Amino acid sequence: MFKNYLKIAWRNLLKNKGYSVINIGGLALGMAVTLIIGLWIQDELSYNSYFKNKGKIAQVFQSQTFNGETGTGPAIPRPLEMALRDGYSDNFEHLIMCSWTNDHYLKYGEKSISRPGNYMQRVGPELFNLEIIKGERDGLREINSIMLSESTANALFGSEDPIGKTIKVSNEHDMNVSAVYKDIPFNNTFNDTEFIIPWEKYLANNEWIRNAEDQWGNNSFQMFVQIADNTTMAGVTNKIKDIKKTLNENSAEFNPQIFLFPMEDWHLRSSFENGEQVGGRIKYVWLFGIIGAFVLLLACINFMNLSTARSEKRAKEVGIRKSIGSQKGQLVYQFLSESFLVVLFAFVLALVMVLLSLNGFNELSRKEISFPWANGTFWLVSLGFILFTSLLAGSYPALYLSSFRPVDVLKGSFKAGKYAGLPRKILVVLQFTVSVAFIIGTVIVMQQINYAKNRPVGYDKEGLIQIPTFSQDFEGKYDLMRSEFIGSGAVVEMSTSSSPTTQIWSNRSGFTWEGKPEGFQEDLAWTEVSPEYAKSLNLKIVEGRDFSREYATDSLGVLINETAKKYLGMPDPVGKLLKDDDEEDPGPPLKIIGVVQDMITQSPYEPVKQGIYVYDRFNNSSYYNLRLNPDQSAGQNLAVVERVFKEHFPDIPFEYEFVDSQYGEKFASEERIGTLSGVFTALAILISCLGLFGLTSFVAEQRKKEIGVRKVLGATIFNVWNMLSKDFLKLVIISCFIAVPIAYFIMNGWLQEYPYRVVLKWWIFALAMLGALGVTILTVSFQAIKAAKANPVKSLRTE
């Protein structure tokens, strides 16, 4: 019987090729969008699944309160390590200290490359369950050993066996390759860890780290743990949360809270607000999940509408079947079988669409998703997806068509009824409500991105490049390099800084000043710079003066930004002193010599943080900042800069980055979300228009004799167009008025997450409504005008 149903379904598809193309094409498009969103969601949910002990791994986080506002992050003091090892060792299977990921120069023979990597304690590879390809698993046993990723080993050694070979790191330290581990997958927090060096080497190279062993106020480190099998994250957190303020009384005023942040939350739930976890990228998973569900629903609505609209053409078939004994259940089964066949064809076409678009989608979303051909779970889920879509798309038409009374049908007295078209109208309204809401949401997202992009950054980022200076080879050569670069004509100004222009790497507190409020707990963004910093960035001095090499006292001078002036409560800050309140080892007081214009160094969606720029007395440079000559092309300038660089640093790869590109990365996440939302919105509108096109075509065919009579009696093309179009336009107008308040409520809530945000304007909603009406008119007009221009003789000659 099922075979018979499929034959009938196949014949119906061939008989009505136009509607079949619309049905299968619309469903395929909807299913393709849902599939590709499903693959994206699966990639997001499987983040860090490379680690077998994912559920037991956590990073140690800290929350501290400054003036009533609680900040949370992974930066912790070094003494915490021994405190946890001594008092809570039974709670941990592994515990490691780890450096922040940084780029280093790796050299072997004549090959020199730059790669990001970490310093870790010995059990790091075991904790993160690295897959060792060559060498020892205990590869960090010796202080001068280094473990390389497979791709880094190949880049340095090619086909040569790297184990036991010596490479130079940062052009300073000779390290022996002890192991090669398989590249960590792309969807992983540590995917950019290309090498690992023993923590002991980190200590040996940096005196400030060794000195921080008992400094509870120096939050410059990070720690990862794997909890013991008989413990829980919440249980261990409850034990250690007050450990810092218990062991260090000076920190009690900041109410530090230590807790374990599970690896399962690192990617999707990493946002904190005033000490509370408030989500993160999980909102995008929900967003795209909802979009995928609605896009599929829109495609299913097309199927329902076209199937029920064509009900009169199949009424006699239903009547005959019922009169010769078919039960309603059998008819339902038949129509569901037809639905299954359509969905099956659509699914095959959807797979083709996904395969053709996957590379482009990966580039757009910055993913490395591959099609899961060999994944049995995927095909099982796909089968369920096909069955679910078949039921969703075919249930209403099946129940509707199988409910016809055979007596009325066979007598010829069957009429669809006054309200037979009401469900179709409701479904059309639902389709365009979703589509208009998508349009409004996409426009607002792009508005917010452009609003932040157009925000004044406070400095001139055009023509400004940064060169990392992480090697000791750069020490003591700043004045020489500045003279060489400027003398080459390719650079007009140059400076150094301890952090990138677009980031804050350090925060400081513990100062006193005249007029400091009682109990005030300052938190200042700290950047050490050379005297030419403001000039190289074209940073405006609004009060006082800039650093000058002519004044020896400027070595203890600082610049503050406008926000810091307000934050510190200093109406006239120039000349004021910031004194170190460390009673045991106070540093010299710092004198404020000037106030600079606010510059955006963090998120462009957030307020500017209070910043302080300190004369770099101790050569803590991490970057050269070069202002290129605007009178020459960038390519010409960079060629000269590279030549000069290589003359002085022949063993170090020449690497640079334009600051405007770095700044642009701050919008990357929102831009990707906005672009993807725009693509999915366009597809949702296309699917809705396909359905509308099919319905208009059917209505025009159903009323072709009426149109013929009207034309014979003098009706114009506009009269006929108006007759066929007005009902659909009314439905879309209703959709707009439903979609606008829904979209306003949702998007206004989304914007509240951004302190610096666009104000919702009425024209955004008006534009979306006009766009929906315009698309509707274009879609309906094609069929309406075609019907209106048809020769009435052809439609009336059978009478």
Side-chain angles (χ1 to χ4, degrees):
M1 185 63 75
F2 181 67
K3 182 180 178 181
N4 183 51
Y5 290 158
L6 291 180
K7 280 185 179 179
I8 295 171
W10 176 248
R11 289 169 184 164
N12 272 313
L13 289 177
L14 293 178
K15 183 180 177 182
N16 303 283
K17 294 182 179 65
Y19 299 111
S20 298
V21 168
I22 292 174
N23 260 339
I24 294 174
L27 269 177
L29 195 55
M31 294 176 84
V33 170
T34 307
L35 279 172
I36 209 160
I37 287 177
L39 291 173
W40 183 88
I41 290 175
Q42 192 274 334
D43 185 81
E44 289 287 302
L45 296 178
S46 64
Y47 215 85
N48 285 329
S49 59
Y50 172 77
F51 301 120
K52 294 180 181 178
N53 301 317
K54 178 180 177 181
K56 293 286 185 179
I57 298 175
Q59 185 169 13
V60 180
F61 264 48
Q62 176 181 203
S63 291
Q64 294 190 98
T65 303
F66 293 86
N67 302 314
E69 291 190 11
T70 302
T72 301
I76 60 163
R78 194 175 163 215
L80 184 63
E81 176 196 0
M82 292 313 299
L84 293 180
R85 290 190 190 278
D86 291 343
Y88 303 91
S89 59
D90 292 344
N91 295 276
F92 304 107
E93 184 76 21
H94 297 300
L95 183 152
I96 66 163
M97 297 294 287
C98 179
S99 70
W100 308 97
T101 302
N102 272 322
D103 287 337
H104 291 265
Y105 306 117
L106 307 178
K107 186 181 181 191
Y108 175 70
E110 297 301 315
K111 290 184 180 178
S112 183
I113 61 176
S114 176
R115 291 290 187 274
N118 293 79
Y119 292 88
M120 282 185 196
Q121 289 180 327
R122 182 172 173 176
V123 296
E126 187 66 31
L127 187 153
F128 293 121
N129 201 243
L130 298 184
E131 186 177 338
I132 304 301
I133 299 173
K134 295 178 181 178
E136 307 174 36
R137 183 159 196 79
D138 190 12
L140 302 180
R141 184 176 65 253
E142 303 294 336
I143 190 171
N144 289 318
S145 60
I146 183 171
M147 301 176 69
L148 303 177
S149 70
E150 185 179 12
S151 58
T152 300
N154 289 337
L156 278 173
F157 299 97
S159 58
E160 188 178 349
D161 185 0
I163 304 302
K165 299 292 193 302
T166 300
I167 65 175
K168 193 173 284 291
V169 177
S170 296
N171 218 31
E172 304 167 32
H173 311 292
D174 290 329
M175 310 293 289
N176 301 315
V177 179
S178 59
V180 176
Y181 57 89
K182 189 173 182 179
D183 286 352
I184 299 173
F186 185 78
N187 64 336
N188 192 287
T189 303
F190 290 94
N191 79 292
D192 60 348
T193 299
E194 299 285 350
F195 67 85
I196 305 172
I197 298 176
W199 178 258
E200 288 72 24
K201 189 69 175 178
Y202 198 36
L203 297 179
N205 293 347
N206 296 278
E207 184 180 357
W208 73 271
I209 299 175
R210 298 194 298 273
N211 294 339
E213 190 171 6
D214 58 357
Q215 295 176 358
W216 283 95
N218 186 350
N219 298 297
S220 301
F221 306 90
Q222 59 176 345
M223 182 192 300
F224 298 92
V225 300
Q226 180 182 329
I227 60 174
D229 290 338
N230 60 340
T231 61
T232 63
M233 295 287 180
V236 176
T237 291
N238 194 50
K239 291 178 183 179
I240 68 173
K241 62 181 181 180
D242 294 321
I243 187 172
K244 182 177 177 179
K245 61 183 177 183
T246 300
L247 297 177
N248 181 249
E249 294 180 359
N250 294 333
S251 66
E253 62 177 320
F254 303 112
N255 190 31
Q257 297 286 302
I258 306 297
F259 66 95
L260 301 185
F261 186 44
M263 178 180 274
E264 293 177 332
D265 287 350
W266 290 358
H267 182 63
L268 294 177
R269 297 176 178 83
S270 59
S271 294
F272 289 84
E273 195 172 287
N274 207 26
E276 297 294 328
Q277 193 173 3
V278 292
R281 284 183 63 88
I282 189 66
K283 65 185 177 185
Y284 297 132
V285 172
W286 282 107
L287 170 66
F288 285 130
I290 291 169
I291 288 175
F294 273 117
V295 169
L296 181 63
L297 177 62
L298 297 182
C300 291
I301 286 173
N302 284 352
F303 184 91
M304 296 179 196
N305 273 343
L306 289 176
S307 297
T308 53
R310 298 181 61 252
S311 58
E312 288 185 40
K313 286 185 173 290
R314 302 198 65 179
K316 288 184 180 179
E317 176 191 342
V318 172
I320 293 171
R321 285 181 175 277
K322 280 194 170 185
S323 66
I324 60 176
S326 288
Q327 300 297 314
K328 182 174 181 179
Q330 291 175 308
L331 291 170
V332 169
Y333 189 46
Q334 176 196 339
F335 291 125
L336 285 177
S337 300
E338 294 183 15
S339 171
F340 175 79
L341 186 64
V342 170
V343 171
L344 186 61
F345 284 148
F347 180 77
V348 173
L349 183 56
L351 288 181
V352 175
M353 291 179 178
V354 169
L355 290 172
L356 292 175
S357 61
L358 196 54
N359 287 338
F361 179 79
N362 279 335
E363 187 176 340
L364 190 62
S365 61
R366 201 170 292 181
K367 291 278 188 184
E368 290 186 2
I369 300 171
S370 57
F371 197 85
W373 290 108
N375 190 325
T377 304
F378 169 78
W379 294 110
L380 190 62
V381 170
S382 294
L383 179 60
F385 179 55
I386 292 170
L387 293 174
F388 171 77
T389 307
S390 299
L391 286 172
L392 182 63
S395 56
Y396 175 67
L399 293 172
Y400 179 75
L401 292 170
S402 62
S403 66
F404 293 162
R405 294 177 60 193
V407 175
D408 293 336
V409 172
L410 296 176
K411 276 184 176 181
S413 58
F414 169 79
K415 290 185 179 179
K418 184 179 179 182
Y419 299 105
L422 184 60
R424 289 198 297 278
K425 292 178 180 179
I426 292 173
L427 291 175
V428 169
V429 168
L430 177 59
Q431 272 190 317
F432 276 88
T433 297
V434 172
S435 298
V436 173
F438 280 179
I439 294 172
I440 293 171
T442 302
V443 171
I444 292 173
V445 168
M446 300 313 295
Q447 275 266 306
Q448 172 66 2
I449 294 169
N450 290 329
Y451 185 67
K453 273 188 170 182
N454 295 329
R455 181 182 180 185
V457 295
Y459 62 96
D460 184 6
K461 61 183 186 295
E462 304 298 328
L464 184 65
I465 67 170
Q466 292 190 322
I467 299 174
T469 58
F470 298 129
S471 170
Q472 288 185 359
D473 287 16
F474 292 93
E475 287 188 13
K477 293 186 178 180
Y478 167 64
D479 289 334
L480 170 64
M481 294 308 299
R482 181 169 180 270
S483 174
E484 291 279 308
F485 280 135
I486 294 177
S488 72
V491 174
V492 294
E493 190 53 271
M494 173 180 166
S495 66
T496 66
S497 57
S498 60
S499 61
T501 306
T502 57
Q503 295 180 43
I504 294 173
W505 278 8
S506 180
N507 294 278
R508 296 285 179 92
S509 60
F511 295 101
T512 61
W513 60 89
E514 182 182 346
K516 179 179 180 179
E518 185 70 28
F520 186 81
Q521 301 160 331
E522 76 281 0
D523 178 30
L524 298 171
W526 178 278
T527 307
E528 296 180 36
V529 300
S530 67
E532 300 79 20
Y533 184 72
K535 295 186 184 72
S536 64
L537 269 65
N538 288 337
L539 194 56
K540 183 180 179 183
I541 307 293
V542 294
E543 290 183 42
R545 62 176 177 82
D546 195 0
F547 290 115
S548 173
R549 291 181 180 270
E550 296 179 5
Y551 300 101
T553 54
D554 275 8
S555 62
L556 293 175
V558 299
L559 301 172
I560 62 173
N561 64 8
E562 294 170 294
T563 298
K565 172 186 170 181
K566 298 173 187 175
Y567 176 78
L568 298 174
M570 294 182 177
D572 300 303
V574 177
K576 298 291 192 300
L577 296 179
L578 295 174
K579 299 178 182 178
D580 192 338
D581 65 0
D582 187 342
E583 296 179 359
E584 296 182 4
D585 185 24
L590 302 175
K591 184 178 181 180
I592 300 174
I593 63 171
V595 179
V596 298
Q597 186 176 10
D598 281 342
M599 57 183 281
I600 300 174
T601 51
Q602 290 180 294
S603 169
Y605 303 102
E606 301 286 339
V608 173
K609 186 170 183 179
Q610 53 278 4
I612 181 169
Y613 303 94
V614 186
Y615 194 109
D616 184 9
R617 291 179 290 147
F618 303 110
N619 193 30
N620 288 323
S621 163
S622 295
Y623 288 92
Y624 284 165
N625 309 301
L626 277 66
R627 169 71 59 188
L628 299 180
N629 188 344
D631 297 328
Q632 298 178 169
S633 69
Q636 184 180 350
N637 286 330
L638 289 172
V640 174
V641 169
E642 182 177 9
R643 176 179 55 76
V644 174
F645 182 91
K646 281 298 185 181
E647 286 175 2
H648 295 274
F649 307 107
D651 295 329
I652 296 177
F654 174 65
E655 294 189 332
Y656 67 91
E657 189 166 6
F658 279 93
V659 171
D660 56 354
S661 297
Q662 288 181 330
Y663 186 76
E665 283 296 311
K666 294 179 179 292
F667 304 93
S669 179
E670 282 80 4
E671 282 188 323
R672 283 195 295 272
I673 298 302
T675 303
L676 289 173
S677 298
V679 170
F680 295 143
T681 297
L683 293 174
I685 295 168
L686 176 60
I687 291 170
S688 298
C689 289
L690 273 176
L692 202 59
F693 183 85
L695 280 176
T696 310
S697 175
F698 179 78
V699 170
E701 181 185 342
Q702 196 178 39
R703 301 177 69 176
K704 65 181 180 181
K705 289 186 174 61
E706 177 190 347
I707 294 169
V709 171
R710 287 178 179 272
K711 288 197 70 177
V712 168
L713 295 176
T716 63
I717 291 177
F718 176 78
N719 295 143
V720 176
W721 174 86
N722 183 57
M723 178 188 72
L724 293 176
S725 304
K726 63 182 180 182
D727 287 341
F728 292 111
L729 288 173
K730 287 177 184 176
L731 297 178
V732 174
I733 290 171
I734 293 170
S735 300
C736 290
F737 282 104
I738 296 173
V740 164
I742 294 173
Y744 177 84
F745 175 78
I746 294 172
M747 297 311 298
N748 188 56
W750 176 74
L751 286 172
Q752 299 311 308
E753 298 178 11
Y754 298 95
Y756 190 83
R757 57 181 178 267
V758 70
V759 177
L760 293 180
K761 301 288 183 63
W762 66 268
W763 63 263
I764 297 174
F765 302 94
L767 184 66
M769 293 171 71
L770 288 173
L773 287 171
V775 168
T776 302
I777 290 171
L778 288 174
T779 304
V780 173
S781 294
F782 179 81
Q783 287 293 352
I785 294 173
K786 180 182 176 183
K789 293 176 71 175
N791 188 345
V793 175
K794 292 183 179 179
S795 60
L796 297 175
R797 64 185 175 186
T798 57
E799 294 297 326

